[in-house]
Amino acid sequence: MGLTSKMSLPRDPAPAGGTAGPWQWHWRMAGALVALLLSAPASAERAYVSNEDDGTVTVIDADRGAAIATIAVGKRPRGLALSPDGRLLYVAVSGVPKCPPPLTDEECAKLPRDRAADAIAVIDTAALARTRALGGVSDPERVAVSRDGHRLYVSEEDAGRLAVLDATRGGVLATVPVGREPEGVRVSPNGRWVLVTSEEDNTVTVVDTKSNTIAGKATVGARPRDLAFSADSRLAYVTGEADASLWRLVVPAAAPAAEFFKFRREVRPMGVALDAARGRLYVGAGRAGTVAVVSLKGPGLITEVACGGRPWGVALDRSGRRLYSPNGPSGEVVIVDAETLAVSARIATGKGPWAVVAGP
C-alpha cells in the first residue's frame, strides 16, 4: 500500500497539547523499519567445498573462518556451481570408483560401479540441505550454470560428452561430443559460450550456448584440467597438468591458441581463477604444494604461496579479498589473502576436498 491508500490506520495515543493522526503512526513505523534494516548484518560470505572421499559438502562462513555445516550429497562429489542468485548449489556426484595411481584404466574398469549414483545433487543454501537430484548424466565430473540459471552444463567423463540439463525441471536437453575424459567446464561471462577441456585428447572445445553446437576447438597443453575466462569473454586461459603449462586461446574460434606461461617442472597446474582487478591468475599447483600467482602482463610469476599437500581447485570470493584452495591430503581449505598473498586461515573439511566455490 502506498501513502495514498485509504486503508484505516490506528491512531497514536494523543500527546499532551494535541492529538495524533494516522500519518504520525505511519512514519514512526517506517522509521523503525529503516532502522531495523540498517542494523541487520550484511549477507555473509560463504565457501562450499566438495569432499570427494566421504560424499559431503562442507559449508564455510568466511567471516568467522569456520565450517558451519556438513551436507551429505552422494557418492564422490567433485564439481560445484552456484546458481546466479546463490540460492542453489549444484554438485556433480558419481558412482564411478576413484582410481588414483598406480591403478590402470583396465584395473579401474573392473571395479564395481553404481550407475544409479550418477547425478547432479541440488542443495538449498538457505536450508543447508540436499533437496533433490537431477539424473540422466553419466559419470559427471564438473558442472556450470547458465547466466539465467535455467541450464546446467555437465562434463560426462566416461562418455566424452557435454550434457545440457534443464536446471528447473530436470532432463537432458542436448549432448555434445567434446573429446575423451572431459573435465573443466566454464560458461563465458557474457553467457554466449561454454568451454570444455578434454584431458586425454589435450583439447578445448567451444560450444555455442544458443545452438548447443561446436563453434571451435583447439589443441592445448598436456592433460588440460581447468580454465578461466577474461572479463570480456574474448580470451580463455587453460591449465595443462602434465607439462606444467598455461595456455591462452581466443574465443569463440579457439584460435589462435598458444602457450602463455611455463611453470617449473614440479608444478602440476590444476584449478585456475582470474583476478581481473589485479591482472592476475591464481593456479592450484597440485603436488607442488603451492598456489601460483601469475601476472597477465609479461606474463610473469609473481610468487607461489605455500599451501601444503595438493592444492587442487581455486576460487576467488566476490569481493576479491580471499582466495580459497582445497588441500586434499590434509583435509582442509586454505584461505589466502589476495592483497598480501599470505595464508590467512586453514579450515578443516571432510575427506579429500576437491573443488570450491564462493558466494552468498
Side-chain angles (χ1 to χ4, degrees), residues 244-279:
S245 67
L246 182 64
W247 282 61
R248 182 175 66 185
L249 56 88
V250 178
V251 181
E259 188 174 82
F260 181 68
F261 187 78
K262 193 77 168 181
F263 297 95
R264 60 188 176 94
R265 63 182 182 180
E266 294 82 5
V267 170
R268 294 291 180 265
M270 311 296 273
V272 58
L274 175 72
D275 184 343
R278 297 183 178 89

Side-chain angles (χ1 to χ4, degrees), residues 210-289:
K210 291 185 177 181
S211 62
N212 294 323
T213 58
I214 295 174
K217 182 170 283 194
T219 298
V220 292
R223 201 167 177 82
R225 286 288 195 169
D226 195 13
L227 53 92
F229 276 99
S230 61
D232 62 6
S233 302
R234 297 174 61 186
L235 299 172
Y237 300 89
V238 185
T239 56
E241 178 193 9
D243 61 359
S245 67
L246 182 64
W247 282 61
R248 182 175 66 185
L249 56 88
V250 178
V251 181
E259 188 174 82
F260 181 68
F261 187 78
K262 193 77 168 181
F263 297 95
R264 60 188 176 94
R265 63 182 182 180
E266 294 82 5
V267 170
R268 294 291 180 265
M270 311 296 273
V272 58
L274 175 72
D275 184 343
R278 297 183 178 89
R280 298 174 180 170
L281 289 167
Y282 303 103
V283 179
R287 290 186 176 89

Side-chain angles (χ1 to χ4, degrees), residues 70-94:
T70 299
I71 306 167
V73 291
K75 292 184 177 180
R76 204 182 170 198
R78 288 179 287 175
L80 301 169
L82 277 168
S83 62
D85 59 11
R87 294 181 179 180
L88 299 174
L89 177 70
Y90 300 99
V91 188
V93 294
S94 172

Side-chain angles (χ1 to χ4, degrees), residues 292-308:
V293 185
V294 178
S295 172
L296 296 177
K297 294 181 179 179
L301 181 68
I302 297 173
T303 189
E304 288 185 47
V305 182
C307 296

Side-chain angles (χ1 to χ4, degrees), residues 196-221:
V196 188
T197 64
S198 167
E199 293 181 57
E200 196 167 334
D201 291 345
N202 302 331
T203 60
V204 172
T205 301
V206 182
V207 177
D208 185 325
T209 59
K210 291 185 177 181
S211 62
N212 294 323
T213 58
I214 295 174
K217 182 170 283 194
T219 298
V220 292

Side-chain angles (χ1 to χ4, degrees), residues 124-145:
D124 181 319
T125 59
L128 294 179
R130 169 175 161 161
T131 57
R132 59 190 177 124
L134 306 177
V137 290
S138 180
D139 189 21
E141 182 159 1
R142 288 199 184 242
V143 57
V145 188

